[in-house]
Amino acid sequence: RELAYSLVKQNKKVAMVSLEDQMDVTAQAMVALDMNIPLNKFRFNPPAQSVVQPHFDEIVHSGNLFFWKHFGKMNLSNLMDKLYYYARSKSCDFIFLDHLSSVVAASKESNERQAIDHIMDELSQLVIETGVGLVMVVHLKRPGGDKSCAKGGEVELSDLRGSAALEQYSWAVVGLE
């Protein structure tokens, strides 16, 4: 969200495809960032509407931020239609897809690796054909042992969950620890 917010502030067009969040939560998160207030505080103890409205207008109504009103699993065909719409019809510079697992869960593939391979191929074609920047959230594996990311181990490319296609099709991978 911080990266998307920064891009909107730089007058870039950004589409937020948050498959686990309701559209209003994503919008509130962007306004909270603009107001430098933690989202949970903003949501449960919001400032007066008169204080919030200018930030809401500047960020959400800027014409540079788009939301997809959706929640849950997403069929790949419908997702790709929507992503192409944002890239071509709305001229978005960046699309944020949060997260890949929701797309994989709705896949018709019986194998997670094959599903990710297929999805990454489709997403790569989108980026190449339209020039849109795609920022995608991907979960990590949950390996055991002392080197686990959950126990303070360093994040490595091999920790991406599901398929080597995640690293092979990506132009850049950023791991947060």
Side-chain angles (χ1 to χ4, degrees):
R1 290 178 181 156
E2 290 270 359
L3 182 56
Y5 168 76
S6 176
L7 290 166
V8 170
K9 292 296 280 188
Q10 295 174 51
N11 211 29
K12 301 290 184 193
K13 289 189 175 187
V14 174
M16 301 291 292
V17 180
S18 302
L19 299 177
E20 287 188 324
D21 283 338
Q22 293 291 331
M23 182 177 71
D24 62 336
V25 173
T26 304
Q28 289 171 350
M30 300 303 273
V31 172
L33 284 170
D34 197 53
M35 296 180 73
N36 200 25
I37 300 173
L39 178 58
N40 61 343
K41 182 178 178 183
F42 180 87
R43 292 191 70 216
F44 297 108
N45 188 17
Q49 184 63 29
S50 61
V51 174
V52 172
Q53 195 63 48
H55 297 275
F56 189 85
D57 292 341
E58 181 180 343
I59 300 301
V60 177
H61 288 154
S62 66
N64 289 333
L65 185 57
F66 304 92
F67 303 96
W68 188 7
K69 188 175 184 175
H70 181 272
F71 187 81
K73 296 178 186 175
M74 176 45 50
N75 168 296
L76 182 59
S77 178
N78 291 341
L79 174 68
M80 294 309 300
D81 288 346
K82 193 64 165 186
L83 298 183
Y84 273 101
Y85 167 78
Y86 284 132
R88 291 185 173 145
S89 298
K90 294 297 185 183
S91 301
C92 285
D93 299 295
F94 292 90
I95 297 171
F96 284 74
L97 175 58
D98 184 9
H99 61 82
L100 181 65
S101 295
S102 291
V103 183
V104 173
S107 172
K108 294 178 182 168
E109 300 281 345
S110 60
N111 177 293
E112 180 184 47
R113 186 198 56 78
Q114 290 173 342
I116 293 172
D117 289 350
H118 179 71
I119 293 164
M120 290 301 293
D121 183 58
E122 293 283 328
L123 292 172
S124 179
Q125 288 178 41
L126 165 80
V127 170
I128 291 167
E129 289 176 20
T130 66
V132 71
L134 177 64
V135 179
M136 184 170 49
V137 175
V138 178
H139 290 168
L140 300 175
K141 296 176 189 172
R142 293 187 179 191
D146 294 336
K147 299 292 184 185
S148 168
C149 300
K151 293 184 178 181
E154 292 183 9
V155 175
E156 299 178 9
L157 280 175
S158 60
D159 292 324
L160 297 174
R161 183 174 137 196
S163 170
L166 294 167
E167 59 187 273
Q168 293 165 349
Y169 280 100
S170 297
W171 280 262
V173 176
V174 177
L176 301 177
E177 299 175 351

